[in-house]
Amino acid sequence: MTAGRSFRLASGGLVARDAPLRFSFDGADYEGLAGDTLASALLANGVRLAGRSFKYHRPRGIVAAGSEEPNALVELGAVGRREPDTRATTAELFDGLSARSQNRWPSLRFDAMAVNSLFAPLLGAGFYYKTFMWPASFWERLYEPLIRRAAGLGRIAEARDPDRYETVHDHCDVLVVGAGPAGIAAALAAARAGAKTILVEEDFVAGGRLVADRREIDGVGGAEFARAAQAELAGLPNARVLVRTALFGAYDHGEYGAVERVTDHLADPPPFAVRQRLRRIFAKRCIVAAGAIERPLPFGDNDRPGVMLAGAVRAYLNRYAVTPGTRAVVFADNDDAARTLADLALAGVEVAAHVDPRPGAAARLTAASGVATRAIEGVVTRALGRLAVTGAASVDAAGAAWRVDCDLIAVSGGWTPSAHLTTHLGGKPAWREDIGAFAPGALPPGMAVAGAAAGDFGLADALTGGWAAGARAAQDLGFAPPPPREPKVDPDAPARASTLRVHPGARGKVFVDLQNDVTTGDVALARREGFRRPEHLKRYTTLGMATDQGKTSGPLGLAELAALEGREVSDLAPTTWRPPFTPVAIGALAGAHVGPDLQPTRLPPAHAVAVEMGAVFVPAGPWLRAQYYPQGAESGWLEAADAEVRAVRAAAGVCDVSTLGKFEVAGADAAAFLDFAFANPVGALAPGRVRYGLLLRDDGMAMDDGTVARLAPHRFVVTSSSVGGPAAHLHFDFQRQARKPDLDVRIENVTSQWAQFSVAGPRARDAIARVLDPAFDVSDAAFPYLAAGEARLAGGEPARLFRLSYSGERAYEIATPAQWGAGLFRALVAACEELGGRAYGLEALNVMRIEKGHVAGSEIDGRTTPRDLGLDKFVAKKKDFVGRAMLSRPTLLDPARPSLVGLRSVEPDARIVAGAHLLAEGAPFDARHDLGHVTTFGHSPTLGRWIALALVKDGAARIGTRLRAVEPLRGHDALCEVVAPAQFDPEGSRLHG
Amino acid sequence: MRLTCPHCGERPHDEFAYRGDATLRRPDPAAPADPEAEHSFVYLRDNPVAGHREHWLHAFGCRTLLVVTRDPATHAIRSIELAAP
């Protein structure tokens, strides 16, 4: 047991010793320091067991010190803020942080599910394709729930995310990714040249390896160099350094995606602050200085807590002043080991052995570093211990077995350039023999690579390469480049990546991918079964998937597959890296577009008046529309809508139709254009007249409908449906420019510029007369049905009047510029009420259109032709129009196609609901007997029945018969009578009444 | 993805509405009915790797319809011109 002791060094590190922070892990309280990550704080407290693995529930510890961490995934936050699979190595410590381990029951130290290890043969590569298959019916009821409970990492949040997110757009000349030595140099060069520069760093401290290793640049310590550079950049007006900002994707034409963790590290975020910020960065040049990722080495039970990447060991020692163990074995096959040995010794960690398979290397490096330890020319074959490493078994060159007690095994198989961002646009990494790894290949336009990401692992090369890349980018953009720089640094020994295979004497499981529990055995099995290419291997074994996307496991998997295939790693193509580089919360991608703000809400000009009147609103596309206006004791939509329909049919009602799409169409060829755009002959309209207008798509299906009014020979006002307005606008603009470019016509969308109201009912003319300039003659002789014209309101405000009816009553639509909309609506409501009527909402409007058999969006659903909708009588026979040719396709003329009918409940109270399917009486309820569906429904106080419109096979032939309308989800089943679509006043006598 | 509108300059793709293949020619309505040609116009689309001419309408801008020539393999934009100059 190590808990209870402090593993913090007495001095050093980038931690604030005067700022202790309390935190908890699995309910136990600990103390860390400002500057810690959760991982470093856990190690400082001797907590080395961090989680359980994905399939086998094996105990796991902390492997890395950055975003490549495959193992130490914890759950942070609670309820709606619960965040699973957070890498402890990137979670910045704050006071009060509470973390829980994952995938264990009942506790991390004793996990009952670890019995999964016994069933390992059943859980091997592709197990879900092979085992748990029979009998088939067991899968859904037994196997899947069991596997889901036993495997998988983390639990999703239980409630809606209460935090806010935002999206910002950044523009710059030069974007530098990664604030390690190369990135800092590149940003300094570009910014000093005058280029607008952004340097992004996923960590909360700039420096990369400069803060993880003990380095010296021109006589200054690495951490101090990074701090000074960051300060200089922050002081330049043309440069910005964004820390806690992970660049996760490269996109077309110089766009990059980054996510900034704004308040995740704060104990008490300021109110109204966003949690995370999505940055869309538009950059003319991009320099990828994302560094390199250290490669583990394969040996038995290499997943035990205490097996750690050597670079991470040094990061914990140097940056966090934490010793991740007390007695270490260093196992590496490159000269970087000298640095690891020296740092461990300096921190007072006993080095029990240094194991290196290269002839003479262990003795040479041990001597050079001056560390007193046992040099073994050989390999580690197995990590000993279960909940923590207790020792290392190794075999030397002479074949002698060694057993060394230790609690830390620092491993290094060299470094692999982090080339991910260079491949997001389809580029392929290229093999570099000199470093034994894949490095960036052909780059997308505007991108350069520098430092370790380019395969330049030495510090001097990173600094000069970064500086040159920054200078070149600035010069490309017309800035005078700064002179080259040649800094003096302490020497280093760049390492070629390992070619080490698993030793034949290895015992236990050898893990290739810790996060997905993929072993060398799984790779071999997958290959035996024919999955011999890296992409196939990945799909079959899940190697390289999940949060770390194979950052540490990818090179091991490739090497293993290559060895089994008898090929060189260079002959294999690594799997494709796609965005995101690190996990991105869906909330950050959604930004502000959640809930009611998914899209902007549009309000008609008289909205406030409807609010005053107590209207109940309903969303209609982007619009918020009044559904009904309850009065007195009316208890809900049904009573209110019934009363509103009765008021319209008996006296007069007013409805806000400002949401209709409205377009001004003008020009010498306006009539010709509208004749082309609409299926019915609208160009022949006389000035001062309005008529119905039907739009079709190229394939002959109905697209939308509305009205066309001719105010003057070359001036029209066109309306579309409310929801279809933007699509109609696009359609008009497209057809004009793509198909009729030679016509003299202008189209302007004036939807928001005009308020418009429908006034309907036998007293509608009286109501409209009360708001109009008394000089305007609204007599039937002067303004008959389908008249249209410009008028003035009583106060002199401009207005347009159309005699149109949707309800079947005598009706007018009156429009006025938006600023007078609220006043006009108020006046119309007062006029109607004085005449015994009232305002009516969308519900009453819908009931009356069903009574009249008028179609709307629920029938114009993209699958219906004019013929299906009973509108073929409007379709022009002679002229050309959009969609004309396709209308005559034989299948569209089939009389059995579903066509529009009306429905009426046989029992007054039997509700017909939208979406119900229609069946013959006595027919079984199945798809084969389905005759059609109900598109819209309402309660008709006029007819004393529930009524509906429906699309039914052989519709016309079924009029007079009875059908069942069945909706099993909510249990509706109504017997109804099939009637003609116009159920009320089919002759239209009330239009003139 | 960024498109340079001849009127408005370089803009993100979010401002544009994609309207498909710009090489399609609507069959002549005055010519005798040709169902094959109509079917081809409405439904058949090529996906040439050599370069695609396509319509983009600058919906949240000047409302101009553009003909964009784009390499579908690399997304490189070869040219942008007005559909109805």
Side-chain angles (χ1 to χ4, degrees), chain A residues 283-310:
Chain A
K284 297 190 179 100
R285 293 288 183 278
C286 175
I287 297 166
V288 175
I293 295 167
E294 199 167 25
R295 174 176 167 149
L297 289 170
F299 51 90
D301 294 331
N302 56 343
D303 64 327
R304 294 304 187 201
V307 178
M308 189 181 277
L309 292 169

Side-chain angles (χ1 to χ4, degrees), chain A residues 134-408:
Chain A
W134 303 276
S137 62
F138 273 35
W139 174 254
E140 206 169 297
R141 279 182 290 142
L142 182 66
Y143 298 146
E144 192 188 4
L146 266 178
I147 293 170
R148 288 218 182 273
R149 200 171 322 142
L153 286 169
R155 307 175 297 163
I156 58 164
E158 290 167 323
R160 194 191 155 122
D161 185 346
D163 287 316
R164 299 190 319 122
Y165 301 83
E166 70 179 8
T167 306
V168 299
H169 293 69
D170 293 307
H171 296 262
C172 64
D173 295 317
V174 181
L175 169 67
V176 182
V177 185
I184 286 174
L188 281 175
R192 284 185 191 167
K196 195 173 167 193
T197 303
I198 297 178
L199 172 61
V200 297
E201 168 55 54
E202 65 176 341
D203 204 334
F204 53 94
V205 168
R209 289 308 301 177
L210 291 178
V211 292
D213 282 326
R214 292 181 292 122
R215 304 308 306 253
E216 203 167 271
I217 301 166
D218 293 332
V220 176
E224 179 51 36
F225 174 86
R227 193 163 35 230
Q230 189 175 357
E232 179 185 339
L233 289 166
L236 289 174
N238 58 324
R240 275 194 295 169
V241 182
L242 302 172
V243 292
R244 299 187 184 90
T245 304
L247 201 96
F248 61 76
Y251 302 93
D252 285 319
H253 308 150
E255 179 173 353
Y256 300 85
V259 64
E260 180 180 5
R261 302 184 311 278
V262 183
T263 60
D264 282 350
H265 63 295
L266 300 178
D268 294 302
F272 310 114
V274 296
R275 178 183 168 226
Q276 293 182 352
R277 180 178 292 136
L278 183 77
R279 290 184 175 273
R280 289 179 64 180
I281 304 175
F282 302 95
K284 297 190 179 100
R285 293 288 183 278
C286 175
I287 297 166
V288 175
I293 295 167
E294 199 167 25
R295 174 176 167 149
L297 289 170
F299 51 90
D301 294 331
N302 56 343
D303 64 327
R304 294 304 187 201
V307 178
M308 189 181 277
L309 292 169
V313 169
R314 301 202 300 271
Y316 289 115
L317 294 172
N318 297 319
R319 172 171 170 184
Y320 302 103
V322 166
T323 55
T326 52
R327 199 175 140 84
V329 166
V330 176
F331 176 32
D333 62 351
N334 60 71
D335 286 3
D336 235 9
R339 214 169 265 288
T340 311
L341 290 169
D343 287 356
L344 283 167
L346 186 71
V349 178
E350 185 187 348
V351 183
H354 172 214
V355 186
D356 191 323
R358 296 173 301 162
R364 171 172 57 85
L365 294 171
T366 305
S369 59
V371 177
T373 185
R374 181 184 299 147
I376 300 175
E377 184 176 318
V379 294
V380 170
T381 53
R382 186 176 195 175
L384 308 172
R386 200 175 68 84
L387 292 176
V389 166
T390 56
S394 62
V395 175
D396 69 16
W402 294 75
R403 200 185 159 106
V404 184
D405 288 344
C406 64
D407 58 1
L408 175 67

Side-chain angles (χ1 to χ4, degrees), chain A residues 132 249 438 507 609:
Chain A
F132 304 108
F438 283 95
R507 294 287 176 272
V609 182

Side-chain angles (χ1 to χ4, degrees), chain A residues 31 38 85 88 120 126 265 344 354 506 607 611 667 676 749 760:
Chain A
E31 205 173 87
L38 175 60
D85 299 338
H265 63 295
L344 283 167
H354 172 214
H607 178 76
V611 172
F676 175 66
N749 185 348

